[in-house]
Amino acid sequence: MDEKLLRLNQKVAIITGAGSSGPGIGTGKAISILFARHGCKVVLVDNNEDRVKETLGYILADGHDAISVTGDVTSNSDCKRIVDTTISEYGRLDTLINNVGILAPGNVVTLKETDYDKVMNVNLKSMVLVSKHAIPKMIESGGGSIVNMSSFLGLRSGSIFESVPYSVSKGAIIALTTTMAAEHGREGVRV
């Protein structure tokens, strides 16, 4: 087997948004399936039980190791439960893929405040909360890796559609990622 494919073998990863809604296979589902095919034990997280169970079914049918956890990644207690379940099931945590994201329309004049708050909570706060519980467990396991999914719209907002909440959240994810990298890199956590 290609040496690059072995880097995930026997690692444990949490992947948020693993149910992936919308047309096609979706980013979270695709990441989950590929990680499993490369030997990673995956913890599939989504707020929609049917969608996450569908992803779990694909992975188990291929003979790979995975569990699913339904939860709200904007809830601190759910994020703790997700990480605790991972440790209980697999004894370690090596990788976190913060992949959850939603979109709401509007510029600063037309957006709804409730839409803005929801997008910021789902897209940004979720990453903070899951990471809050994941990082200490990664450190206990000897280090790890976190991938925070952003978008080019965090740098070039307004280039495709008007969505201030989405663009602002994705720009904030870039700042969050560089800050986390600086603060936790010396502890063996690559972000």
Side-chain angles (χ1 to χ4, degrees):
M1 182 178 260
D2 184 343
E3 190 66 31
K4 290 179 184 175
L5 299 181
L6 295 176
R7 292 186 344 185
L8 293 174
N9 195 37
Q10 298 304 306
K11 299 288 186 179
V12 176
I14 294 173
I15 302 168
T16 67
S20 298
S21 62
I25 195 162
T27 304
K29 189 175 289 183
I31 292 168
S32 300
I33 292 168
L34 288 173
F35 270 48
R37 286 181 181 168
H38 288 214
C40 189
K41 299 171 185 178
V42 290
V43 178
L44 312 168
V45 177
D46 206 283
N47 67 348
N48 184 301
E49 186 173 7
D50 292 336
R51 287 196 308 249
V52 77
K53 293 286 186 193
E54 181 180 299
T55 305
L56 179 64
Y58 289 138
I59 292 170
L60 296 179
D62 276 349
H64 303 296
D65 196 349
I67 61 169
S68 65
V69 182
T70 305
D72 175 2
V73 290
T74 68
S75 160
N76 187 50
S77 61
D78 276 11
C79 292
K80 182 179 185 323
R81 180 177 52 83
I82 290 162
V83 172
D84 288 348
T85 300
T86 302
I87 299 303
S88 176
E89 182 72 21
Y90 295 117
R92 63 181 295 119
L93 176 59
D94 303 292
T95 303
L96 168 62
I97 308 293
N98 279 316
N99 174 63
V100 172
I102 61 169
L103 167 67
N107 60 41
V108 294
V109 175
T110 62
L111 69 83
K112 295 178 184 170
E113 184 178 357
T114 54
D115 287 345
Y116 180 85
D117 291 342
K118 184 175 182 179
V119 170
M120 293 302 285
N121 278 335
V122 171
N123 293 7
L124 183 62
K125 180 182 174 185
S126 68
M127 293 187 181
V128 172
L129 292 179
V130 181
S131 298
K132 171 187 181 66
H133 298 287
I135 288 171
K137 300 302 182 186
M138 288 180 174
I139 293 168
E140 287 175 17
S141 297
S145 177
I146 298 174
V147 177
N148 294 330
M149 301 296 277
S150 185
S151 168
F152 74 95
L153 292 173
L155 299 171
R156 293 188 54 166
S157 49
S159 60
I160 295 180
F161 50 82
E162 285 185 344
S163 180
V164 164
Y166 184 81
S167 296
V168 169
S169 72
K170 293 302 182 174
I173 289 167
I174 295 167
L176 173 66
T177 302
T178 57
T179 302
M180 288 171 61
E183 292 175 348
H184 300 290
R186 65 183 59 93
E187 297 169 310
V189 179
R190 183 170 47 91
V191 186

